Amino acid sequence: MSTTSHSIDPNAPDRDTPPAPEAAAIQAAPSRTGLWLLMILLGATFLGWYLYGKRAPVAPPAPLPPIVALPPLDRGANDAGAIANAANTANKSNAAKPAPSAKPVAAKPRATQARPIASRSPEPRYPAAALRRGEGGTVVLRVNVGADGVPDDIAVSRRSGSRDLDRAAMTAVRDWRFKPATRNGREVASVVEQPVEFRPLQ
């Protein structure tokens, strides 16, 4: 076996080191890869933005139906008359038959809703700016009326379309007095929907 010794000459070119042009090409390759990755990312972003803009628009929610608050019907007198007429008719048709003992029908206690007292509910002031613009409409307020008839909390349930009119209605109703709601003959706190209408002068 022969052993050859290699002398290490510091000035001799190293065979393991690549030539300079190849080294520059290797160093340029990562920057080109980064450039291609950036181009792909920008293309994907643009495509996503384009497709997002092409999606179907979301339909707005359907408007709520208007709130209609009807006053309670006074049926006390009419119901008593109808019961008496029905009893008379039944007695005439069953005159030959023995009548079983009839128990008197107890009247159900009435329940009423809170209502504004006309003499203690002044008209709201028409805002000057809204009057100049000819704005009008109806504001529906949700009013929490205490057992003493004083409004505790007021919120707008349905807007009039004018912020000035909504504010004027809330300010006016704060000073109103209500006949409180009753349950079983006692005054109780309740919530009432109170419309306030504004009509500009023609």
Side-chain angles (χ1 to χ4, degrees), residues 69-167:
L70 299 175
L73 297 175
D74 186 18
R75 295 186 181 191
N78 293 340
D79 285 347
I83 292 172
N85 288 340
N88 289 338
T89 307
N91 286 339
K92 288 178 185 176
S93 64
N94 295 330
K97 297 178 186 177
S101 62
K103 293 181 181 177
V105 177
K108 290 184 179 178
R110 284 187 54 189
T112 61
Q113 291 185 346
R115 291 185 307 267
I117 301 170
S119 62
R120 301 193 62 199
S121 303
E123 289 287 321
R125 284 186 46 217
Y126 212 115
L131 190 58
R132 278 194 303 271
R133 291 189 297 262
E135 294 176 345
T138 302
V139 184
V140 179
L141 301 174
R142 180 179 296 269
V143 184
N144 292 338
V145 180
D148 57 353
V150 177
D152 295 333
D153 187 30
I154 301 170
V156 176
S157 177
R158 191 173 64 210
R159 301 192 179 282
S160 65
S162 169
R163 184 176 288 171
D164 294 336
L165 297 180
D166 296 346
R167 286 182 189 153

Side-chain angles (χ1 to χ4, degrees), residues 47-75:
L47 183 64
W49 173 74
Y50 177 76
L51 293 176
Y52 183 76
K54 289 291 186 176
R55 66 184 172 86
V58 177
L64 297 175
I67 298 171
V68 178
L70 299 175
L73 297 175
D74 186 18
R75 295 186 181 191

